[in-house]
Amino acid sequence: MSIAVFDCSDIDQYLGKPMQPARMREPIHNNDIRRWAQAMHYPNLLHYDADYAAEGRWGRLVAPQSFAVTMDDGHGAGPACVGSIPNSHLLFGGDEWWFYGPRIQGGDLVHNERIPFDYTVKDTKFAGPTCFQRGDNNYYNQNGELIAKQRSTSIRYLAEAGREKTTDVVEGTEDPVWSDEELAQIQDRKFDWVQMLHELGHGKRYWDDIQIGTALPERVIGPHSIASFTTEWRAYLFTIWGGTHRRTDLDMEALGFVKEMAGHENDPVMERINPELTDGAYFGPSRGHLFPRWARFIGMPRAYGYGASMGAWIVDYLAGWAGEWGMVTHSVASYRGPAFTGDITIMTGTVVDKFVDDNGRDVVQIDCRMVNQLGTTLATAKAEVALPRK
């Protein structure tokens, strides 16, 4: 199989042209924010404890910076998935984020303006000819303020390559087994990072005190399960029946998805007839995350997590360390492989630079790495975090 027969030319007609925007039907509720923090395993009191938040910088609950992605009806993938590639599958490849300052709060009504950006085709070990497609998401609040921009990358490859990959999936189809002692140790490691959040509290992490080479505390999530992935999925607001103004220009089969993975996800007509077919949990392209059979259909050994959640874990990791007086200003993450059921995810970070950026902000630059318990790299990221100065 050669790149020449992998035809992505239909994408060209969409590049640079705004798509139908994503819009929620009602304003955000505090419980939407709480549900997101809980689903992303992010126990930062600012985002769920009203009494604690009232004593802090904003005087009320605010959403995590990562919450912006819930304002899209496809966790940022829409503008990175236009144009027909016949008989293809799709995975997430990464996200780049720019944050501009406004925080999302209960009562806000946020919309997403989406513009397909570009694509390139490369030969990969995973699937042979593969399309890396990017699209921009611009998140605005009801006042017209730009909250964040997300440049999402999708990985599109031929279904035949996924089937060939499946024939090689012999090992790794079963979850690892953890002893009670190991599970207790994991919980201790997880709480060490939570304790860091508590110790900083409403205080400030000063730019002056951070040195190049400073290591961020380890963050551990997991062991993952179908239950935890389902909890994550249900925290994306577009998965709620009737909660979003659905796209009328979305046709999975027209995009080239094979029949088994197309279905009616986000279909506004079918949502009024049989919504269970449309919410992504049971049918359509997202069901590979929650059903091992369909995970193997696209070349994954078992149920696996969401790329957008991995991006959120990274942003939350950095924002939690920075504290409420700091802010993630920019992050670019590349996803190398998903989190599988039974595995744990371990995040580490190191400060590699510090400087004053073009906007006059005191910034530290951080290299971040995400691995599983075997040391397999799941994602890498580089980010800039603004901190207060003494």
Side-chain angles (χ1 to χ4, degrees), residues 194-228:
V194 178
Q195 188 62 36
M196 180 272 297
L197 297 176
H198 292 323
E199 289 173 356
L200 182 60
H202 295 302
K204 297 180 178 181
R205 191 177 302 284
Y206 289 106
W207 181 86
D208 316 60
D209 296 334
I210 305 302
Q211 304 299 320
I212 294 174
T214 296
L216 275 63
E218 170 192 78
R219 183 188 184 194
V220 177
I221 298 175
H224 307 290
S225 65
I226 290 175
S228 69

Side-chain angles (χ1 to χ4, degrees), residues 369-386:
R369 188 165 179 250
M370 181 184 292
V371 302
N372 65 14
Q373 70 278 4
L374 301 176
T376 303
T377 299
L378 306 182
T380 57
K382 180 165 283 188
E384 288 77 56
V385 178

Side-chain angles (χ1 to χ4, degrees), residues 37-59:
Q38 183 174 353
M40 293 300 117
H41 322 279
Y42 185 33
N44 188 328
L45 291 164
L46 281 174
H47 310 310
Y48 70 92
D49 188 298
D51 294 334
Y52 178 87
E55 299 171 351
R57 179 180 180 181
W58 292 283

Side-chain angles (χ1 to χ4, degrees), residues 4 7 15-16 23 33 63 67 86 94 142 144-145 159 192 199 241 252 257-258 266 313 322 324 331 341 351 361:
D7 185 7
L15 298 181
R23 296 176 297 133
I33 297 171
F67 186 77
Q142 68 279 3
E145 297 173 306
D192 284 344
E199 289 173 356
W241 297 350
M252 297 295 188
F257 285 35
V258 297
N266 279 326
W313 298 343
E324 64 191 79
S331 173
T341 54
V351 176
R361 297 173 297 199

Side-chain angles (χ1 to χ4, degrees), residues 295-348:
R296 289 191 287 272
F297 183 82
I298 65 167
M300 295 294 173
R302 56 188 189 271
Y304 62 101
Y306 302 92
S309 295
M310 291 173 66
W313 298 343
I314 291 170
V315 171
D316 291 343
Y317 176 56
L318 300 168
W321 174 80
E324 64 191 79
W325 297 94
M327 184 181 78
V328 180
T329 61
H330 174 249
S331 173
V332 55
S334 175
Y335 307 145
R336 307 289 182 82
F340 291 114
T341 54
D343 288 352
I344 62 172
T345 295
I346 305 158
M347 278 168 279
T348 54

Side-chain angles (χ1 to χ4, degrees), residues 82-160:
V82 295
S84 175
I85 303 178
N87 297 310
S88 61
H89 293 320
L90 179 146
L91 296 170
F92 281 93
D95 283 308
E96 185 167 10
W97 284 93
W98 294 264
F99 294 97
Y100 299 101
R103 298 301 294 257
I104 297 174
Q105 306 176 86
D108 283 350
L109 192 59
V110 177
H111 70 279
N112 174 21
E113 294 182 356
R114 303 179 284 202
I115 304 175
F117 184 64
D118 66 5
Y119 72 96
T120 186
V121 179
K122 301 178 182 178
D123 252 328
T124 66
K125 203 176 292 186
F126 170 73
T130 302
C131 177
F132 294 84
Q133 184 175 353
R134 297 192 296 177
D136 289 345
N137 301 272
N138 302 285
Y139 299 96
Y140 294 88
N141 64 21
Q142 68 279 3
N143 300 317
E145 297 173 306
L146 180 59
I147 298 165
K149 176 179 177 178
Q150 174 196 17
R151 178 164 290 164
S152 190
T153 299
S154 68
I155 300 173
R156 302 177 70 181
Y157 58 99
L158 293 178
E160 181 181 345

